[in-house]
Each structure stands twice: as structure tokens, then as C-alpha cells.
Amino acid sequence: MVIAWISLASVGILLARYYKVVWPEGGWFNKHRVIMVVATLISTIAYIIIFVEAGEWVYNESYEDRHNAHPIIGIICICLAFTNPVMAMFRCHPGTPNRWIFNWAHFLVGVSALVFGIIATFLGIDFARDIHFTDLSQNATSLLAVWLAVLPMFWVVLEIMSLMQKRKADSSDIEMKTKTEKDASHEDDKPKKEPSEDARLRQGILLAYVVVSFAFSIPVMVYIGIAEV
């Protein structure tokens, strides 16, 4: 679960949001789809293992509310994770009038799944420490908290870069007004290409993000693995 939502899912959403200009013509989509499918499969397998091990849905009135909330939030996360690919199967084609509805729905469902996944991960570690693994290091939670603080920094930098790119594209569109309507329409159908230095910078940021996310998630899993029941 830690790998699925702390590392993979966040990378998949990052690709869809900021890397269409780096890998146009479906390149970004193939990467996004593979990563999100793997994240969903890992989460599903993890939940199956949990239910098989527990034998039933467990709700214990003696537990604190946050402990009982963990499985509920986890189920919501899984449902959202499965909703997005089903939604994508019935999406309308790009350029159609209602495409914006799918774009926003797909984005909001995906981000919601990520948020619920992160919350479930925090609650799961807290639940495991209090109920099962009493010697589970507090460092596991601390690492996740630091990662959660670092995450927005990457998004803010990429968002600023996207706004700057959009301004450059708008300036280019104004200069193209001297062209004929036919030529301009053909030009609009082509994917906007980023300057090579911008693309390289985005790729470097992505690599740094992947390294950072795994640098946090792997130690968290180690702390969970070495904890004694």
C-alpha cells in the first residue's frame, strides 16, 4: 500500500497533469496508464491479503475512531481507483463539447483516490502501531509526514512551469494571426512542443520526484517489516 499510493499513484497523476508536452502523441498516457494500473493491482492484492488474514470485516467498538476509520477510508480509495478506468472506457473523444466534463471528473476522482490513499496509509501505520506492532518506530509516520510536506513543492514548481509555457503558447498564437485560417487550423491540431531545455528540466524534476518518493516509501516499508507482532 505504501508503494502503491506514496510512490506509484502520485507519479501517475503527475505524468497526466504536467507531462503531456514532454511525451505527446500518447506517450504520457501509456506511462500514466501502466503506473496507475500497477498501483491499483498492488492495492487490490493488499486488501485481499488483509481480508484473508482477518477472515472478516472487523469493527471493534473498543478501538478508537481513527482505527475503525482506516478500513472504511481504504475501501473508498479502492472504489475510486476502480472508478477512473471504468470512466475512461466511456470517455468522449478529445475536442468534443462534453470532453471537459470527463477531464474534470477523471482528475477529481484520481486526486480523491490519492488523498484517501495517503490518509489510509497514515491511519494504517497508526493502527498497526497501536494494535499489532507495538514496537513499530514512530519514524515511519515521521517519514510520511516529511514526504507529504515535500510533495507540494514539486507540484508548485511544475504548475509555475506550465503557466509560463501557456503564456509562451498564447504569444505564439498572436503572432500566427497573419497566417491563413486554413494554415492556422492545421497548426492548432498539432501538439504544442516544449523547448528542449524545458522538456529536459521537466524530466529531471520527474526523476527527482521518483527518487524522493521511493527514498521515503522504502524505509517506511522496512520499519513495518522489522516490527514484531
Side-chain angles (χ1 to χ4, degrees), residues 3-227:
I3 285 291
W5 294 103
I6 300 303
S7 297
L8 295 178
S10 59
V11 171
I13 294 175
L14 207 69
L15 282 170
R17 174 69 177 167
Y18 299 112
Y19 285 84
K20 295 177 183 179
V21 292
V22 178
W23 294 294
E25 302 294 339
W28 68 271
F29 176 73
N30 293 331
K31 296 176 178 62
H32 167 76
R33 178 173 56 186
V34 169
I35 291 173
M36 298 308 291
V37 167
V38 172
T40 302
L41 287 176
I42 291 175
S43 298
T44 303
I45 293 171
Y47 273 104
I48 291 174
I49 293 173
I50 292 169
F51 278 117
V52 169
E53 185 69 20
E56 60 180 347
W57 178 274
V58 178
Y59 182 90
N60 194 322
E61 293 183 356
S62 66
Y63 291 167
E64 296 185 26
D65 290 341
R66 69 180 190 278
H67 295 151
N68 283 318
H70 168 66
I72 296 173
I73 292 176
I75 289 295
I76 294 174
C77 172
I78 287 294
C79 290
L80 290 172
F82 275 103
T83 298
N84 248 357
V86 173
M87 188 190 307
M89 293 173 62
F90 299 97
R91 68 186 183 278
C92 49
H93 293 290
T96 53
N98 294 325
R99 176 71 181 200
W100 68 272
I101 299 176
F102 164 76
N103 289 341
W104 274 105
H106 190 69
F107 173 75
L108 292 175
V109 170
V111 171
S112 298
L114 177 62
V115 170
F116 277 107
I118 293 172
I119 294 173
T121 302
F122 272 96
L123 291 177
I125 291 177
D126 185 55
F127 176 82
R129 181 186 299 111
D130 291 349
I131 306 301
H132 298 292
F133 306 103
T134 55
D135 69 334
L136 179 57
S137 175
Q138 179 64 34
N139 291 339
T141 302
S142 300
L143 283 170
L144 287 180
V146 174
W147 171 84
L148 192 58
V150 171
L151 174 67
M153 298 180 186
F154 287 90
W155 288 72
V156 168
V157 170
L158 287 168
E159 189 67 31
I160 292 173
M161 292 179 64
S162 295
L163 290 174
M164 293 175 62
Q165 187 274 334
K166 186 177 184 301
R167 288 184 179 180
K168 290 180 181 178
D170 291 342
S171 298
S172 298
D173 290 341
I174 294 175
E175 294 175 358
M176 288 169 55
K177 283 185 177 180
T178 54
K179 295 185 177 182
T180 63
E181 182 179 351
K182 181 178 179 180
D183 290 338
S185 64
H186 282 305
E187 196 70 28
D188 288 339
D189 290 336
K190 295 180 182 179
K192 302 291 184 182
K193 291 186 177 181
E194 289 285 276
S196 58
E197 60 272 16
D198 186 273
R200 287 195 297 269
L201 180 57
R202 286 180 187 247
Q203 290 171 344
I205 293 173
L206 179 62
L207 177 60
Y209 181 82
V210 171
V211 171
V212 168
S213 63
F214 277 96
F216 282 105
S217 61
I218 291 176
V220 170
M221 292 191 299
V222 171
Y223 279 121
I224 296 173
I226 64 177

